Amino acid sequence: MSDQQFDVIVIGAGPAGYVAAIRAAQLGLKTACVDDFTGKDGKQALGGTCLNVGCIPSKALLDSSRQFWNISHNFPVHGISVEGAKVDLGTFIGRKDKIVKQFTGGIGQLFKANKVTAFYGKGKLLKGNQVEVTGKDGSKQTLSATNVILASGSVPIELPFAKFDGKAIVDNAGALDFTEVPKRLGVIGAGVIGLELGSVWKRMGADVTVLEALPDFLGAADADVAKIALKEFTKQGLAIKLGAKVSKAEVKKDGVHLTYSDKDGEQQLVVDKLLVAVGRRAYTDGLLAADTGVKLDERGRIVVDEHNHTGVDGVWAIGDAVRGPMLAHKGSEEGVAVAEWIAGKAGHINLDTVPWVIYTEPEIAWAGKTEKQLKDEGVPYKIGTFPFAAIGRAVAMNEAIGQVKMLAHAETDRILGVHMVGPGVSELIAECVVAMEFKGSSEDLARIVHAHPTLSEAVHEAALSVDKRAIHKGN
Ligand code: FAD
Ligand code: NAD
């Protein structure tokens, strides 16, 4: 096999693509991965959106800002006082950059260890499973493979009246790199990015106003979870305006002048920075030659079947570029499954149990169906809930906010959905996902010993509560 000929070529080295490449190489397939992301140092940075400008840097800033917030908002409860706490923004952003570099560099090392060949440039699928790679200097080379996996990810949706300028009007990447804390931050979109990055800058001292077009808060989450979360975020000082339709954003000397309408009519808001976070779109610009036969759906996503196959011999697609939730772990699991299918093994991916986590304070996490979905589908269900206010560990941590809500089938008791808002729920959801993947019942979780005192007792008690036998609350 020539050095331009591979068993598998992956286009895109985000969490979908790099994981697919590593798994394919583990299975003995000669693998290449083509990616064009350039890091802050001007060099190739593997890891895609997630590692460079998504999951990892946002969690780094969420953690730093949380430490700062705790000094004034939580320490006093414990009898600890700190005078004159300040943040050095250079160190704050620099720590995040160091973490990004560590992880993007780590992918390079994993590629070397697994003998994945990395190409730096723009990959384009040509007919006959060839991939043209255009380097940053414009040079071109053509690779070929038996199988090509498209993992080109997604990019932020731009609003026509509020185009990103990287200065006053920014996307997620811009909001991860402010050089000073904006006095007034406007956010369009009360979705995952708006809430996470809005929380970061609120904790750092910005006045944050979030404008959400829809009348309901966090429509994708369970209504009870959304209600509790909205109350807590409002208490923290995030000004969340629902049913707010923005029509204009003008950059002037004194800030970005926003015009929006809500139930009370037309409103004006002036902010120093504007984060637009109204969703992401699959990114396939320049990815496909006209005659490849790969199809896009009405939302621009690459069309695939339940095995992530595009219908074109040897061409697969995974991650944010295809249907399903735009989550790193969903893309990674698709990557593993596709590599295994290519190698003739039994790959597996179950989109019904992909967990969602929003890393706000309190955290939000869920898996499976919401109560509304079950009602709409006419599925009979039972509900168990348990508040963190009755969990000793949560009270000891001074974080006794929120609840666990479990939905189980009324007849079979199979767990259909679990919805949480509260401390540490990003970790607690894993237990529920395992139970759901094993087709477990609420009784299964109710009969499992959970350590005391831990936050996981909220899951245990919610499972008991499904059958009206929670111990530490009235049923
Ligand atoms: P991407 O990560 O977008 O990677 C695609 C890669 O392909 C990029 O490097 C791109 O440059 C490259 N590429 C595209 N086209 C070509 C081409 N033609 N040639 C060469 N290279 C190409 N998800 C979570 O699960 N948890 C989180 O906490 C989380 N936090 C997030 C926070 C933010 C601020 C954002 C923006 C997203 C977050 N996400 C999170 C979503 C997560 O980042 C995405 O779901 C994930 O990155 C998708 O992975 P992917 O591999 O499909 O695509
Ligand atoms: P989102 O879909 O989560 O939220 C977008 C919000 O903007 C929605 O509430 C929508 O109603 C609102 N909106 C849309 N158009 C609007 C307009 N013109 N004016 C006002 N509001 C408008 O999208 P996002 O926050 O941009 O994040 C994109 C995706 O990235 C997420 O859906 C998720 O898949 C992924 N992500 C995941 C995590 C995580 O897992 N913790 C974190 C960040 C991002």
Side-chain angles (χ1 to χ4, degrees):
M1 212 182 267
S2 84
D3 58 359
Q4 308 290 82
Q5 171 73 40
F6 295 89
D7 294 316
V8 177
I9 299 172
V10 185
I11 303 182
Y18 85 72
V19 170
I22 290 173
R23 185 70 188 120
Q26 280 175 351
L27 291 164
L29 300 165
K30 187 182 172 197
T31 305
C33 186
V34 184
D35 192 275
D36 65 353
F37 201 100
T38 304
K40 273 176 96 173
D41 60 2
K43 296 190 184 136
Q44 180 173 31
L46 301 168
T49 304
C50 179
L51 273 66
N52 286 286
V53 289
C55 328
I56 297 298
S58 61
K59 267 77 253 176
L61 296 191
L62 276 159
D63 201 72
S64 295
S65 61
R66 182 173 183 227
Q67 311 271 7
F68 184 56
W69 176 266
N70 279 345
I71 291 172
S72 48
H73 290 81
N74 275 331
F75 282 18
V77 182
H78 298 270
I80 305 166
S81 57
V82 178
E83 295 294 316
K86 286 189 297 218
V87 181
D88 174 67
L89 210 64
T91 309
F92 177 80
I93 298 290
R95 188 189 86 98
K96 177 265 293 176
D97 289 342
K98 216 168 132 189
I99 294 168
V100 167
K101 186 102 188 106
Q102 178 188 336
F103 278 84
T104 56
I107 308 295
Q109 285 163 15
L110 287 170
F111 274 5
K112 276 199 191 107
N114 286 284
K115 299 194 171 54
V116 173
T117 309
F119 289 86
Y120 183 24
K122 178 96 184 163
K124 183 179 196 174
L125 178 70
L126 309 177
K127 204 173 174 193
N129 297 359
Q130 293 205 313
V131 174
E132 179 188 79
V133 182
T134 307
K136 294 284 165 182
D137 58 1
S139 62
K140 288 189 191 296
Q141 57 184 315
T142 304
L143 316 175
S144 55
T146 319
N147 288 279
V148 178
I149 304 175
L150 306 171
S152 51
S154 64
V155 288
I157 292 173
E158 195 165 43
L159 292 173
F161 54 84
K163 297 234 181 237
F164 301 121
D165 63 11
K167 290 180 195 138
I169 305 180
V170 299
D171 60 6
N172 54 293
L176 289 164
D177 263 339
F178 288 146
T179 49
E180 56 187 51
V181 178
K183 218 171 135 9
R184 301 160 300 179
L185 173 66
V187 180
I188 306 186
V192 197
I193 294 180
L195 293 173
E196 289 187 356
L197 294 183
S199 295
V200 165
W201 295 107
K202 173 71 217 167
R203 295 171 192 168
M204 298 296 286
D207 281 335
V208 180
T209 307
V210 186
L211 302 171
E212 166 60 46
L214 295 179
D216 294 326
F217 180 64
L218 274 183
D222 191 83
D224 290 342
V225 164
K227 196 170 154 198
I228 295 169
L230 179 59
K231 192 169 147 218
E232 292 304 322
F233 299 153
T234 306
K235 257 202 248 166
Q236 288 163 19
L238 282 176
I240 299 172
K241 307 215 180 281
L242 300 175
K245 296 194 175 60
V246 187
S247 53
K248 216 194 253 179
E250 286 178 290
V251 181
K252 296 189 182 171
K253 266 201 185 122
D254 62 339
V256 187
H257 289 236
L258 291 164
T259 306
Y260 67 94
S261 59
D262 62 12
K263 61 179 181 3
D264 300 320
E266 193 171 281
Q267 314 284 344
Q268 307 288 332
L269 176 72
V270 183
V271 294
D272 301 299
K273 298 275 183 191
L274 176 67
L275 163 62
V276 179
V278 294
R280 296 176 64 83
R281 65 170 176 90
Y283 178 68
T284 56
D285 299 4
L287 176 71
L288 305 166
D291 56 354
T292 59
V294 174
K295 290 192 183 63
L296 303 183
D297 69 12
E298 69 294 344
R299 288 168 59 184
R301 300 173 301 191
I302 300 168
V303 175
V304 288
D305 63 14
E306 71 279 16
H307 288 103
N308 290 82
H309 195 261
T310 63
V312 176
D313 213 17
V315 183
W316 314 71
I318 56 176
D320 279 12
V322 305
R323 84 287 176 261
M326 286 184 165
L327 295 172
H329 41 281
K330 173 262 192 186
S332 298
E333 288 312 311
E334 285 178 329
V336 168
V338 165
E340 292 179 351
W341 284 319
I342 288 173
K345 297 195 171 297
H348 165 87
I349 170 87
N350 178 6
L351 293 182
D352 292 338
T353 54
V354 174
W356 273 87
V357 175
I358 307 180
Y359 298 82
T360 43
E361 188 75 18
E363 292 181 340
I364 297 167
W366 74 86
K369 304 271 174 147
T370 63
E371 206 181 331
K372 181 172 183 313
Q373 284 170 327
L374 294 178
K375 263 191 198 137
D376 291 348
E377 290 168 19
V379 178
Y381 62 90
K382 306 178 277 185
I383 306 178
T385 59
F386 199 81
F388 282 101
I391 293 292
R393 185 75 190 280
V395 175
M397 291 161 65
N398 193 41
E399 291 185 36
I401 286 168
Q403 65 166 17
V404 173
K405 171 172 170 180
M406 193 172 289
L407 302 166
H409 196 282
E411 285 135 31
T412 65
D413 193 35
R414 183 169 167 184
I415 302 169
L416 303 173
V418 185
H419 304 272
M420 309 176 174
V421 52
V425 299
S426 56
E427 302 294 340
L428 297 187
I429 196 67
E431 171 184 6
C432 303
V433 172
V434 171
M436 289 167 74
E437 192 64 40
F438 289 172
K439 301 186 171 47
S441 63
S442 77
E443 186 175 3
D444 289 330
L445 285 185
R447 291 195 182 278
I448 289 172
V449 183
H450 288 69
H452 175 73
T454 62
L455 299 173
S456 72
E457 288 172 293
V459 175
H460 188 216
E461 289 272 14
L464 286 162
S465 154
V466 170
D467 201 25
K468 306 224 175 313
R469 55 194 174 107
I471 301 295
H472 295 93
K473 71 161 201 173
N475 288 287

